[in-house]
Amino acid sequence: MAYHRVMTPVNRCLGKVHHLSAMAEDALVDRLGLALDELERAYRKPSERVVALEAVLHGVERDPRRHVQTFADFVCTLIESRQSR
């Protein structure tokens, strides 16, 4: 029996964030914003959105593939600003 991994909104967003970490700066900010917008739209309640953003934040912080610390810091700052909205 094959195992199928369910792609939750958090997992989809983390995949996009990981992909973006290797991109050039020009498109990065817009595409990161789009990934986070999609994540937030997946949850109706503000409290659920905060939890999802927190999950992405922790996923970025713990990712051993993280190449550039400044990218992770940027993502963290962007997520924290969204959580306070």
Side-chain angles (χ1 to χ4, degrees), residues 46-61:
S47 61
E48 293 173 335
R49 288 191 293 273
V50 169
V51 170
L53 287 166
E54 190 72 21
V56 171
L57 179 64
H58 289 298
V60 169
E61 291 174 337

Side-chain angles (χ1 to χ4, degrees), residues 24-85:
E25 278 185 50
D26 295 345
L28 177 77
V29 175
D30 290 336
R31 292 189 62 187
L32 181 56
L34 290 173
L36 293 172
D37 289 344
E38 181 181 332
L39 174 71
E40 290 183 298
R41 282 192 306 271
Y43 297 96
R44 292 180 63 188
K45 297 179 183 176
S47 61
E48 293 173 335
R49 288 191 293 273
V50 169
V51 170
L53 287 166
E54 190 72 21
V56 171
L57 179 64
H58 289 298
V60 169
E61 291 174 337
R62 291 187 301 236
D63 183 6
R65 297 173 296 173
R66 188 172 63 185
H67 305 297
V68 181
Q69 182 63 39
T70 54
F71 176 75
D73 293 342
F74 170 73
V75 172
C76 293
T77 301
L78 187 58
I79 289 174
E80 288 170 355
S81 71
R82 284 175 177 249
Q83 285 179 316
S84 63
R85 283 196 262 163

